[in-house]
Amino acid sequence: MHEVPPQDNPSCEPVSTISLTAWRRVCDTLDCAFLLLVPDDSQIIECNRAAHHLFGYGKAEFLRFKLSDLGDELKNSFLPEEFRSTVQCRCRIKNGKSFWGEIILQKIDLDGVQFLLAEIKDLSRKKQLEAKLKRSEELSRVIQRLNKIGSWEYEIAANKTFWTEEMYRIHDLEPCSSFRDADTVIAETLALYRPEDMPLVAALFSKCVEEGVPYIVEARMNTLAGHLKWVETRGERIIDDKGEYKVVGYMRDITENKQQEEIIRKGEEKYKTILQTAIDGFWITDLEGRLLEVNDGYCRMSGYSEAELLTMNVAQLEGTLDSAQIAEKIDLLMLEGAIRFETMHRRKDGSLYDVEVSAKPLDFHGNKLFAMLRDISAQKEAEKENRSLQAQLLQAQKMEAVGRLAGGVAHDFNNMLGVILGQAELALLQTSPEQPLAHKLLEIIKASERSVDIARQLLAFASQQPIEPKRLDLNEVVSNTLKMVRRLIGEDIALIWTPGQELCPIKMDPAQLDQIFINLCVNARDAVGDQARIVIETDVVYFSEEDCKNNIGCVPGEFALLSVSDNGCGMDKKTLENIFEPFFTTKGPGKGTGLGLATVYGIVKQNSGFINVFSEPGKGTTFRIYLPSDRGALKLEGDNKAVPVASREQETVLLVEDEPTLLNMAQQMIESLGYRVLAANSPGQAQTIAREYADQIDLLVTDVIMPGMTGLELVRAMEPLYPKLKYLFMSGYTADIIAPHGILVEGIHYIQKPFTRHDLSVKLREALAAE
């Protein structure tokens, strides 16, 4: 690391004053990437582990870079004007690819020396969701423009109003993207209406604002460009998400419609010409709903020919209203003189589509009705997609925040549990079983082991559980676990197992797959009642680009499906929205921790899969887990053989751990097992001990991630001194942190912190007995 002399700059006040050692310790536990820079030229002098993982560079590579080397858009360095500065740009990683990142640069004082601290966040997923949302909003704008419909809203308390772009086009004005003063907008808009129409429009609007009465009105206005337009305006008062009243509505340019109606009134022949060339559909019906005339536009919409439609009535085309409701609409039309509503019609092939109907009596025809019909399916679909994307974005952000919190807490909790569990076991060895203290120590050990399980479940939810992935046959794993599941759920529940044929292999940690399967089955057990049934199925599923649109995290390709269904009580919509959150449970006190489904969610996400849940109250629940295929020669894991018990005489262990309390605890544990222990608190001290030690060192037990050198680099440095040296890695960090260091691969001996004395003894014998 570069040493930077103190700088006298009274205007550069540090954000905080802490030691460099404390900064390293804190930053290395965080998921966010941090870089420490020299203020003069933004030279990188320190980085945390998350930065290694994000960019792919090793520490030595980072120290050769300046901040500007991480992206072309960073060539002109941005220094904090006061204490903090933020920029979003594309950042380049080691493999040449790039990602959208947010860089927050601020001043910091470490050991009395001033530095720049760069915090880097990966915004790629957020940008993708925002891009989808933007496309959806753009589609909505296009649909408004094509249909000449503009929407508006009026915030009553704030006295502000907002128009979409089409609203401005209707008024022949330049678009404005911000909220405007409502009094000004309302006054200017009302002034445009024809004098004979303005009082009615103003009265309806006021009644809607003050009493909440919705309205729809057609009126004429003279725009500022001198154009006379017919517009249809609709308003409705609602309560927004802040609990405030606001009026929302739309305005539609119906000038062409009015012109078409005028032409119809002027003569039958002219009417027929326009009727047949219009894009929208038109009907003329009698008062019983029988079709008398239709245009080509409606023929295209419905799929029927003109001859077929003229033998039908409205009820045969309606997909929502029955005959009685249609009769009510006709009565209302004759009473009010005009109606407009949305419904669904049925095409010739049986499919339904959304339609907007505008109907009036035909005065010059006598006892006949005229209706204009517009296919609004695309508009409805765009609105639905927009709502869906917004909901998915909010849910993804919420689960990401909860997962980050759970992962950070669980990691720190694990370190403390390691010391508590280890020291309690060592104290128990020094206590005779008949002493009262022995019982208390056993209770401490049991409580610590239960706490370890909770921490691991939290890590699983955060997609940070340390894993040892293997190629697996899903059917075989489920079959082998069924016997245990039957004991867990009881003999009174029918367990139906339907394996799929020619299932694709998957690659994941077998223990994680067991966790998913058992948690789902136990959850189903707690939901069923009399004549209980749980159905377990597997299958192969293929997803296309279109299939993935409504599933965040899904990518096109082949997936193995694990489905667990029950005929239990089911869940309502509100419960479904929260079931994967940690500690959320519908069970009574003492009957559940609320971590089972959170664990399932985290494991599925960690293995690049996704999960769907289908449930209704009283109709049971189905969980469908999709895990990505790992096609290739499936090599199944054999049964674990018993660890050979060899003599521990003359066996020497070199123990390397940079945390003093963990080093001391692990040393006592290994010595209590009868080994000779050489303890080192850093890789450098370990190499010094190895060079100076006169006898043979049989086993190296080392932490994976340490300051200055990783565990794997230490092993390679020790090989010239002890060519036959065997080794055992240990770590409390998560899989995404330690995997780049080459540890979680087949054939490497590894133990996860925190561990018990028994687990450590087994791993020591495995490592020493290895070839």
Side-chain angles (χ1 to χ4, degrees):
M1 187 187 81
H2 293 278
E3 293 294 331
V4 180
Q7 300 176 12
D8 296 325
N9 185 1
S11 66
C12 181
E13 296 182 17
V15 172
S16 61
T17 302
I18 59 174
S19 70
L20 182 57
T21 302
W23 179 86
R24 288 194 187 109
R25 185 167 60 251
V26 171
C27 285
D28 276 346
T29 65
L30 300 177
D31 292 335
C32 191
F34 285 93
L35 301 175
L36 199 60
L37 315 172
V38 176
D40 291 339
D41 58 358
S42 298
Q43 176 68 43
I44 299 173
I45 61 171
E46 190 61 73
C47 52
N48 70 342
R49 295 186 178 95
H52 295 313
H53 176 64
L54 181 60
F55 287 91
Y57 294 111
K59 182 173 183 179
E61 294 173 299
F62 263 125
L63 299 186
R64 295 197 299 267
F65 294 156
K66 295 181 180 179
L67 181 63
S68 58
D69 294 324
L70 299 181
D72 294 333
E73 297 173 57
L74 297 172
K75 295 299 183 184
N76 297 322
S77 61
F78 60 107
L79 297 178
E81 295 178 3
E82 292 293 335
F83 311 122
R84 183 183 179 96
S85 183
T86 303
V87 67
Q88 290 186 6
C89 63
R90 298 206 68 85
C91 299
R92 186 168 49 249
I93 60 178
K94 186 173 181 179
N95 63 9
K97 295 181 179 180
S98 62
F99 66 92
W100 266 105
E102 180 183 76
I103 302 177
I104 302 172
L105 198 65
Q106 58 186 330
K107 300 171 183 178
I108 188 170
D109 192 314
L110 302 177
D111 292 331
V113 179
Q114 292 181 1
F115 298 88
L116 293 179
L117 178 64
E119 178 184 356
I120 305 171
K121 299 178 181 179
D122 187 351
L123 303 179
S124 301
R125 187 178 181 192
K126 178 181 177 183
K127 289 287 185 180
Q128 292 171 357
L129 290 173
E130 289 176 346
K132 284 187 177 180
L133 187 59
K134 184 177 179 181
R135 287 196 297 272
S136 178
E137 292 172 344
E138 180 60 28
L139 178 59
S140 179
R141 285 194 293 271
V142 170
I143 291 173
Q144 283 201 5
R145 186 172 69 252
L146 293 176
N147 289 280
K148 296 184 178 180
I149 298 176
S151 58
W152 54 270
E153 61 183 84
Y154 165 42
E155 295 182 0
I156 299 174
N159 197 36
K160 292 182 179 179
T161 187
F162 177 79
W163 287 3
T164 62
E165 292 181 6
E166 191 58 25
M167 281 288 294
Y168 287 95
R169 292 192 187 94
I170 292 173
H171 289 79
D172 294 333
L173 297 173
E174 286 295 323
C176 174
S177 60
S178 61
F179 280 82
R180 299 169 60 204
D181 175 74
D183 290 340
T184 302
V185 173
I186 294 170
E188 291 176 351
T189 304
L190 289 176
L192 298 177
Y193 284 96
R194 294 285 291 270
E196 56 267 42
D197 295 342
M198 189 271 286
L200 175 61
V201 176
L204 292 174
F205 178 78
S206 297
K207 197 169 185 179
C208 181
V209 172
E210 296 168 4
E211 302 177 21
V213 179
Y215 71 96
I216 181 170
V217 62
E218 293 181 358
R220 293 160 294 177
M221 66 162 53
N222 291 303
T223 70
L224 295 178
H227 298 139
L228 173 62
K229 292 186 178 181
W230 273 94
V231 293
E232 177 192 80
T233 306
R234 181 172 185 170
E236 182 178 358
R237 193 178 74 179
I238 65 171
I239 299 177
D240 64 17
D241 53 4
K242 298 178 182 177
E244 300 286 347
Y245 280 116
K246 70 177 181 180
V247 179
V248 298
Y250 69 78
M251 176 178 284
R252 181 179 174 192
D253 183 351
I254 58 172
T255 306
E256 291 183 5
N257 299 342
K258 289 294 183 179
Q259 291 171 347
Q260 291 167 353
E261 292 173 10
E262 183 65 21
I263 293 173
I264 291 172
R265 283 193 292 270
K266 289 180 178 178
E268 185 75 13
E269 293 301 321
K270 291 183 179 180
Y271 153 73
K272 288 184 178 181
T273 301
I274 296 174
L275 184 67
Q276 294 303 325
T277 57
I279 297 176
D280 292 335
F282 289 92
W283 284 346
I284 292 180
T285 74
D286 61 17
L287 297 184
E288 302 299 321
R290 288 185 289 266
L291 299 183
L292 304 177
E293 287 191 44
V294 297
N295 71 331
D296 291 341
Y298 191 75
C299 292
R300 289 191 298 270
M301 289 166 56
S302 66
Y304 289 101
S305 67
E306 181 180 4
E308 290 172 320
L309 288 169
L310 294 180
T311 65
M312 303 171 70
N313 59 42
V314 175
Q316 292 173 283
L317 297 169
E318 258 292 340
T320 303
L321 306 176
D322 58 26
S323 298
Q325 291 170 320
I326 294 172
E328 290 178 2
K329 290 285 186 186
I330 294 176
D331 291 342
L332 181 64
L333 170 61
M334 300 305 294
L335 178 65
E336 296 188 357
I339 60 171
R340 184 185 300 275
F341 61 94
E342 293 180 3
T343 183
M344 298 189 78
H345 280 188
R346 192 180 306 277
R347 296 187 180 93
K348 186 176 181 179
D349 61 9
S351 62
L352 297 175
Y353 62 104
D354 293 287
V355 175
E356 181 186 70
V357 181
S358 302
K360 284 188 174 185
L362 277 180
D363 298 333
F364 64 92
H365 273 279
N367 296 327
K368 293 180 183 179
L369 306 175
F370 170 82
M372 181 179 72
L373 306 106
R374 172 165 292 177
D375 184 347
I376 57 172
S377 301
Q379 178 181 335
K380 290 288 186 180
E381 188 62 31
E383 293 171 355
K384 180 180 178 182
E385 183 180 356
N386 194 4
R387 290 192 299 269
S388 175
L389 286 171
Q390 287 177 329
Q392 290 183 58
L393 178 59
L394 290 174
Q395 181 69 7
Q397 290 172 336
K398 180 180 75 171
M399 297 302 284
E400 181 182 1
V402 175
R404 189 181 301 113
L405 173 63
V409 171
H411 176 259
D412 292 342
F413 191 35
N414 262 341
N415 281 341
M416 293 183 287
L417 283 175
V419 177
I420 295 170
L421 184 58
Q423 294 294 351
E425 287 191 320
L426 292 171
L428 186 62
L429 292 176
Q430 302 171 17
T431 308
S432 59
E434 62 274 6
Q435 287 182 294
L437 183 60
H439 175 72
K440 294 180 179 179
L441 289 170
L442 284 172
E443 290 302 314
I444 292 174
I445 291 171
K446 289 178 183 177
S448 298
E449 289 174 341
R450 288 195 296 270
S451 299
V452 169
D453 290 337
I454 292 175
R456 286 176 179 167
Q457 286 177 301
L458 285 173
L459 285 172
F461 168 74
S463 302
Q464 296 177 347
Q465 189 179 30
I467 57 173
E468 297 182 61
K470 299 176 182 178
R471 296 173 65 81
L472 302 173
D473 183 324
L474 179 57
N475 281 343
E476 182 174 341
V477 175
V478 173
S479 297
N480 292 339
T481 313
L482 279 177
K483 187 175 181 181
M484 180 194 305
V485 170
R486 289 185 188 277
R487 290 198 300 270
L488 288 172
I489 67 175
E491 297 294 333
D492 56 332
I493 297 177
L495 188 62
I496 303 170
W497 165 224
T498 308
Q501 301 299 315
E502 299 181 3
L503 215 59
C504 60
I506 59 176
K507 189 167 186 179
M508 67 182 296
D509 190 319
Q512 285 193 318
L513 188 53
D514 286 343
Q515 277 183 288
I516 291 176
F517 184 47
I518 292 172
N519 276 331
L520 290 179
C521 289
V522 170
N523 192 70
R525 176 201 66 189
D526 296 338
V528 295
D530 297 334
Q531 299 181 341
R533 184 178 71 254
I534 299 176
V535 180
I536 302 159
E537 300 175 89
T538 58
D539 203 352
V540 178
V541 181
Y542 299 87
F543 288 103
S544 65
E545 292 279 359
E546 187 68 24
D547 297 328
C548 297
K549 285 184 177 179
N550 295 320
N551 288 289
I552 290 182
C554 175
V555 296
E558 182 182 51
F559 288 77
L561 167 66
L562 171 62
S563 173
V564 177
S565 304
D566 65 66
N567 62 342
C569 58
M571 294 176 282
D572 57 26
K573 184 177 180 181
K574 185 176 181 181
T575 302
L576 283 172
E577 291 174 352
N578 298 281
I579 57 173
F580 294 123
E581 295 181 10
F583 306 113
F584 175 83
T585 179
T586 58
K587 302 173 185 176
K591 295 184 179 180
T593 64
L595 287 173
L597 291 179
T599 300
V600 171
Y601 176 88
I603 291 174
V604 171
K605 291 296 181 182
Q606 187 173 12
N607 287 277
S608 302
F610 62 98
I611 181 170
N612 285 334
V613 188
F614 306 92
S615 185
E616 292 184 36
K619 296 185 179 180
T621 303
T622 298
F623 286 87
R624 296 171 68 86
I625 309 292
Y626 300 91
L627 298 168
S629 167
D630 189 34
R631 285 288 184 186
L634 181 60
K635 182 179 180 181
L636 302 179
E637 302 294 331
D639 295 333
N640 293 328
K641 297 182 179 179
V643 177
V645 180
S647 171
R648 294 193 290 264
E649 295 179 2
Q650 306 303 318
E651 289 178 320
T652 300
V653 176
L654 175 56
L655 174 65
V656 189
E657 167 62 62
D658 63 314
E659 180 61 43
T661 55
L662 294 177
L663 176 65
N664 179 53
M665 183 270 296
Q667 180 179 358
Q668 294 180 60
M669 271 191 175
I670 299 173
E671 287 177 343
S672 72
L673 294 170
Y675 297 91
R676 183 185 297 110
V677 179
L678 305 174
N681 61 11
S682 69
Q685 186 181 12
Q687 293 178 78
T688 301
I689 292 174
R691 284 192 296 267
E692 296 176 355
Y693 189 64
D695 293 331
Q696 174 68 25
I697 298 177
D698 302 288
L699 179 66
L700 171 65
V701 180
T702 177
D703 196 7
V704 174
I705 301 177
M706 298 174 289
M709 182 180 289
T710 67
L712 191 60
E713 290 169 342
L714 177 59
V715 168
R716 291 169 179 164
M718 296 285 287
E719 285 177 349
L721 297 173
Y722 295 92
K724 296 183 179 181
L725 180 67
K726 298 173 181 179
Y727 45 88
L728 171 65
F729 293 105
M730 56 183 181
S731 180
Y733 279 99
T734 57
D736 58 340
I737 298 296
I738 64 177
H741 297 277
I743 303 305
L744 295 182
V745 296
E746 187 176 358
I748 298 296
H749 297 282
Y750 168 78
I751 185 170
Q752 179 195 343
K753 300 176 187 176
F755 45 76
T756 64
R757 182 172 175 270
H758 173 266
D759 292 339
L760 180 59
S761 68
V762 171
K763 288 294 185 179
L764 289 172
R765 293 313 319 158
E766 285 181 353
L768 285 165
E771 292 294 333

